[in-house]
Amino acid sequence: MPQAFDVQNPPFDRLTYSEGEKLRSKLDIGYWGPGQTVIPQGGGAEHLHVIIKGAVEERDGDEPLAVLHAKDSFDAQALVQGMAGSAFVATEETLCYLVPKDVILDLIKANSGFAAFFYSELSRKLSDYAEQQGDGAGSVNNVLRARVRDTRLHEVCYIDGTASIKDAARMMEDYHNNTLFVKDGERIGIITGTNLSKSAVLMEMPLSTKVRDVAHFDIFAVDSDDFIFEALIKMTRHRVRRLAVVSGGQFVGTLEDIDILGLVAGNTQLIPGRIDRARSVADLEPAARDIQDQVARLHRQDVKVDVIAEITSELNRALFSKLFSFIAPPSIKEAGCLIVMGSEGRREQTVRTDQDNGLLLAHPVPEEDLAAFRRDFTAALERFDFPPCPGNIMVGNPQWSQTVDGFIQQLKSWVLTPDDLSAMNLGVFYDAVPVTGDPALLERAKSAMRNLMRGESAYLARFARAIDQFEEASASVLASIMATVGVGSDVIHIKRSGVFPIVHGVRVMSIDTGVIATSTMERIDALAAMSVIGEEFAGDLKSALAYFMELRLRSQLVAMRTGRQEEEAIVHIKELSSRERDLMREALKVTKKFREIVRSRYHLSAM
Amino acid sequence: MLRFIKRKLAWSALKDRSYEFLFHDMGLDEVVSIDCETTGLNPRKDDIVSVGAVKITRNLIRTSAAFNVKVKPRKELTAESIKIHQITKSEVADGASIQSELPALLHFIGNRPLVGYWISFDVKMLNKEVFRMLGITLQNPTIDVCDMYYDRKYSKAPPGTKIDLRFAAILEDLQLPPLQAHDALNDAISTAQMYLALKDLKSRGAYLKRVRNRDAPALPVG
């Protein structure tokens, strides 16, 4: 009920509008006088406390650890584990909002950004993962309830405190272990590779420095029977990336954050091997599925979207190349160059949306060979779940699988036919890259196209006009974002309003100025290098594109999970956090400015 | 004794026996903070526009289960009152009447003590309606945060001290966060916070500091 509750205050800024409203409706307010205990040490809590006014001291026994003020919240551990690591005592007249435990647990499950606040960066990945396994409660708990002993622990290696840091480095090398336990009389400490390089390189300590002078003797430890979840809380609380693991009073190993990630992360390196070893089209099928599955996995691991796209493109090309080797008859293998185009060519495809591919031939091949290849190649890709290209830009279409001479004639007729379809064909082709076969064939066709179009301002203008295709929609959305910030049920079509205008505008300018690069990011760099666009603006444009691609990928993954394919390019503004709305607004502003640049360069307003 | 007789009279005057619970002590450790926004300050002529109320259980303000209604006043809203509480005619046009909301409110408050800022005014406004419905007035004990505040602030003040009991002044003195004022529920929540803070001061025998204030405004207005 209290509208005054500030949902802009972290971690609540990560909530969607409707989550924020729901939370507000469940809030109570509590009052504590000075000296009153809000949560006793070791006690549980039925609420997350968010301080409205006053001060709360966090204490370990009698020792004060921290003082919390307005907008601070406590205590995640008491809430989730039912046992506060320290006591929380009001030191002034204190009012707190009380968020019920159930509400917090639901939000942790539903909103990974919110969960991150509780379990740090790492655990966000865990809960993201759990969330994507589908059935809420069970899976979050499954992951978080694994025991420390279930992970692959690093062995315990001891080194004497009097040994030199040079000895320590050698020992790490010999034992392939980055963490050594240091025995120094009664004390036991830890020294890591990072400690060594810091002392040797940054602080220029001599290599004879004794290990005990650089080791840490405040070891944070977990029991091997503890939950992963508890280890995460400890890492978060103490801001460390590794913990010592104890069992029966003995050190039995170390646990690093990266090991926890290993519990859930997949292994990208496996796929190329699987493609390599394939002996038939059927063998390729699981690899094709893995490529798609790992997109979601890499995204969960916070890999940047352009890197995901690059890895995916690389693997897809390996897949196509192998498939080509199985399907193409000798005549086509000898004369052909298989190309991929569009987003696949620009290395911007993550979730498969279509297949844009073609075949250029150095000379004519027997018609029956070509017919069989067209049929089998397309059928195989369909089997691998590559959706057919809506514009029929596929090997299966004779226009896109012919001799390079024939294709150049085709390009000419497209240049001379000023309709949308020709413009789209030319645009998609300009993004082509060779996958296998003689790349010179593609280069011939491309340079023919550049010569046909370069400096043809009237044609380029018609070509450029496509960026205004969806202008109405995005202008009104922009206006409404500016106006509301917070409410409203508007949606943004991320491909039309964001990705496409940038990709296409950059493509037009690239054709115009003879830029050869195929990825949009590289093209932007090239345009900036030639001063076609400003250096700073180029940076803005790249950030905007990366942001749109990220959002697009997110919607695509959601659409895949929910089976609502029609939502794959849709972003619901109300589901964005306030920070994301700001980013979105900035990105749309950049796009708008870019449209204007393209429009004025090609005098579009005059047409 | 007088109180007892009044109670007896009210008991027999109660029109609807299903509201006998208004007389029963439910033995709950709860009070209700309540605020009414009205068309003006004259209980005889003016009407209720909205009512906000929250229960206070020990040290907790139950904002998650608050009572909050806007109602259609019997008379037209005046420009004066619209300026104060910012409830416009259109907002209350399709609101229910106070009579139809009263049963829910009575069940909400039961016989819990009522806490308010200048609570006698709110009770007068409510009694007008309760009487119309049940033939009795509210039996609940009342607690006025003005009195509590006066007690912690001015009870030991030398004569001639200027006294400031304005709602905003109390909020500020207790360092409570200002909510948008003249919203019945927000005011009830603020009042609940005042109540808990003042009750705590009293339990600790603590007093609020007085600064020598030179120009405090004369007297409170709702």
Side-chain angles (χ1 to χ4, degrees), chain A residues 25 38 63 88 112 141 212 216 309 342 386 434 466 511 558 586 607:
Chain A
S25 73
V38 186
E63 192 187 338
F88 293 85
S112 58
N141 290 338
R212 67 169 167 224
H216 294 272
F386 280 85
I511 297 175
V558 170
E586 284 312 305
M607 294 180 66

Side-chain angles (χ1 to χ4, degrees), chain A residues 468 598-600 602-607:
Chain A
D468 280 340
V598 173
R599 225 178 269 145
S600 82
Y602 299 104
H603 310 290
L604 291 190
S605 46
M607 294 180 66

Side-chain angles (χ1 to χ4, degrees), chain A residues 38-39 47-51 56 68 72-76 88 96:
Chain A
V38 186
I39 304 177
H47 303 100
L48 180 74
H49 300 71
V50 184
I51 301 177
V56 171
L68 309 175
D72 289 339
S73 50
F74 60 94
D75 171 67
F88 293 85
C96 296

